[in-house]
Amino acid sequence: QVQLVESGGDLVQAGGSLRLSCAASENIFDFNHMGWYRRAPGQRDLVARISVGGSTMYADSAKGRFTISRDGELNTVYLLMTGLKSEDTGVYYCGANRLSTDYWGQGTQVSVSS
């Protein structure tokens, strides 16, 4: 059973920074890709994703402000969020894909006050 545990969500002022962490119960290089998603009505929108080979992709709203990274020794994926805006507020989920199966964490709340 794959487990993904997020942490790092908090209440911050606009312009501030946060680093989210996603600790996986298995080797993160066993997944095709891992990423961060924000809950939207009826779906989860991609924020940032990193592939097993290290390539990254970002939502347009995240480009230039957010950085996804990973630590293979800790089996952890991070999302550094800078220049936070009120519209970044939401529940952020860590997701991982392996062999066409998606795994999700429980989510962590990010709240940005203006």
Side-chain angles (χ1 to χ4, degrees):
Q1 180 81 9
V2 174
Q3 291 188 328
L4 303 173
V5 180
E6 303 102 329
S7 61
D10 206 344
L11 171 63
V12 296
Q13 290 188 333
S17 300
L18 280 176
R19 189 179 77 160
L20 306 183
S21 300
C22 171
S25 60
E26 301 186 17
N27 188 333
I28 60 173
F29 294 103
D30 286 344
F31 299 106
N32 298 327
H33 53 76
M34 296 185 68
W36 290 93
Y37 300 77
R38 183 170 63 234
R39 185 168 63 192
Q43 63 185 35
R44 293 184 179 97
D45 291 335
L46 175 68
V47 176
R49 197 172 79 178
I50 185 166
S51 74
V52 61
S55 60
T56 57
M57 62 184 301
Y58 295 90
D60 287 343
S61 60
K63 290 177 182 176
R65 298 189 300 129
F66 296 178
T67 304
I68 189 169
S69 62
R70 63 190 177 186
D71 186 325
E73 290 190 3
L74 297 178
N75 287 323
T76 299
V77 175
Y78 303 99
L79 184 68
L80 177 62
M81 312 167 71
T82 64
L84 283 162
K85 307 174 182 179
S86 57
E87 51 263 43
D88 296 320
T89 292
V91 180
Y92 285 71
Y93 293 90
C94 176
N97 176 272
R98 182 174 67 192
L99 299 176
S100 301
T101 299
D102 293 327
Y103 302 92
W104 299 99
Q106 82 287 351
T108 186
Q109 176 70 44
V110 172
S111 299
V112 184
S113 63
S114 57

